[in-house]
Amino acid sequence: MKSPVRILMVGEGAIAAIHMQALGHVPAASVVAVAGGDERNTRRFAETWGIERVFTDYAHALEASGVDAVILATPSPLHARQAEQAIDAGKHVLCEIPMSLNLADAERMTRRAREASTVAMVAHTRRFNAPHREMKRRLRAGEFHLQHLVSETYFLRRENLNMQGEPRGWTDHLLWHHACHSVDLFAWLLDDDVLDAWGSQGPLHSELGIAMDMNIGLRATDGTLATLALSFNNRGPFGGFYRYIGEENTLLAYRDELKDYEGNVVPLSTPGFHAQDTEFVTSIIEKRAPEASFSSCLPTMRILDKLSHNMV
């Protein structure tokens, strides 16, 4: 039996814990080290998940941990620099979304990964969520003809708190993080990287300095539409909700559940995070480009860049 892929988990927060849960079902993976920003929390994380080696210096962890790959579950502003450090150290990398907060960084990361021939993947989990994979199957098979994808993304972020209700040292972003999920999903579903895109945003938060509400319109080459409504002012429920309006049916997707318009549940298979992290590990073993590679996600970053300059 081949040795498992040795992984360094970078980050000790909620997303890192979700990755640990998923990797617990991937026999070919072994998280052997964790690198975090807070020593106390990092050691607590390591104890919770049975991780032997603990680091609070990322650069030292890359050098000393003896790993094959890293998973970056860190604040968004750190993704680009940390991904490039991993690539330069000869490690495969799975980077949480967004891969960067601007197009220039995304293009540089992609170029560096290509030159290094390393597995470089973005955690575009929507591509792996079972409802969306089922919808793409139906689209490709001609069983469903999409007319309009309506995406609603809701959170309450009036204070700078993380998913666990704790103070956050960085500020989340509706466009580069949350809209990124749905823009990428729409392009991936239709295999169409050339999308018309337009949008508008509400007032900036007086302290956080970000738009708290946003709407975005997308139009595919064949005329199919997508409408994205996003808010950091919503009091719940939280998350991303998707309505597939098609010629044959209307279906609603939330996380790993799919229902028709009458509320009947559609049977599905593997949960998204499990499928996503399995793909990362498998692509390393098989020495191939993964689904959601840096290269395949770059067109989404170009659309976001266009939106960032044209928001009204």
Side-chain angles (χ1 to χ4, degrees):
M1 180 178 178
K2 293 182 178 180
S3 300
V5 175
R6 299 165 298 174
I7 296 173
L8 166 66
M9 183 64 66
V10 188
E12 72 277 19
I15 291 297
I18 292 174
H19 280 290
M20 291 302 303
Q21 291 172 358
L23 290 166
H25 301 282
V26 185
S30 176
V31 179
V32 299
V34 57
D38 180 277
E39 182 173 4
R40 180 180 178 183
N41 289 338
T42 304
R43 291 194 178 280
R44 183 184 300 133
F45 184 93
E47 182 178 348
T48 298
W49 295 102
I51 303 172
E52 293 185 5
R53 307 196 68 185
V54 177
F55 298 87
T56 54
D57 184 297
Y58 174 57
H60 180 57
L62 286 174
E63 178 183 353
S65 58
V67 299
D68 307 301
V70 303
I71 294 178
L72 298 177
T74 52
S76 297
L78 301 179
H79 291 174
R81 179 173 59 84
Q82 290 182 334
E84 289 179 307
Q85 285 178 273
I87 293 166
D88 290 347
K91 313 300 181 185
H92 305 292
V93 57
L94 172 59
C95 179
E96 262 301 326
I97 183 178
M99 61 190 293
S100 66
L101 293 173
N102 60 70
L103 178 58
D105 283 351
E107 290 178 332
R108 189 181 62 252
M109 295 162 65
T110 301
R111 184 170 57 252
R112 191 167 294 187
R114 188 182 301 119
E115 292 169 350
S117 298
T118 190
V119 171
M121 177 177 168
V122 189
H124 273 290
T125 314
R126 297 293 179 272
R127 294 192 187 194
F128 297 93
N129 284 124
H132 305 305
R133 295 190 77 82
E134 170 61 14
M135 294 311 300
K136 179 156 185 171
R137 185 198 67 76
R138 294 187 184 194
L139 286 166
R140 283 185 166 176
E143 299 173 11
F144 187 87
H145 296 82
L146 182 64
Q147 296 163 328
H148 198 165
L149 175 65
V150 180
S151 165
E152 301 171 85
T153 303
Y154 298 135
F155 292 96
L156 184 63
R157 293 280 166 83
R158 293 180 180 178
E159 296 179 88
N160 206 14
L161 304 176
N162 64 17
M163 294 171 63
Q164 299 164 319
E166 300 168 341
R168 174 180 262 159
W170 56 283
T171 305
D172 203 357
H173 203 282
L174 273 179
L175 178 63
W176 288 100
H177 180 186
H178 296 284
C180 187
H181 276 296
S182 298
V183 171
D184 183 79
L185 173 65
F186 188 58
W188 173 78
L189 282 166
L190 299 181
D191 295 311
D192 187 351
D193 295 335
V194 185
L195 303 176
D196 291 332
W198 60 92
S200 59
Q201 62 184 21
L204 302 184
H205 190 282
S206 58
E207 295 180 6
L208 300 177
I210 59 171
M212 301 292 285
D213 289 275
M214 191 173 292
N215 58 52
I216 293 171
L218 303 171
R219 183 172 52 236
T221 305
D222 66 2
T224 305
L225 296 179
T227 299
L228 283 59
L230 307 103
S231 181
F232 277 165
N233 280 313
N234 187 68
R235 296 189 181 275
F238 299 150
F241 304 84
Y242 296 87
R243 180 180 292 268
Y244 284 88
I245 301 172
E247 181 66 26
E248 296 80 5
N249 205 338
T250 295
L251 295 133
L252 298 100
Y254 176 64
R255 295 183 178 173
D256 285 306
E257 183 177 74
L258 183 65
K259 296 180 179 179
D260 67 17
Y261 70 97
E262 295 179 317
N264 300 305
V265 176
V266 178
L268 299 170
S269 56
T270 308
F273 259 91
H274 180 194
Q276 169 189 272
D277 289 12
T278 298
E279 169 67 3
F280 177 55
V281 173
T282 303
S283 64
I284 293 171
I285 295 171
E286 296 178 353
K287 299 180 180 180
R288 60 170 174 81
E291 174 69 79
S293 66
F294 281 14
S295 294
S296 74
C297 296
L298 192 56
T300 293
M301 303 302 285
R302 293 185 177 127
I303 296 169
L304 295 180
D305 179 70
K306 180 167 64 174
L307 283 166
S308 73
H309 289 99
N310 297 326
M311 279 283 179
V312 295

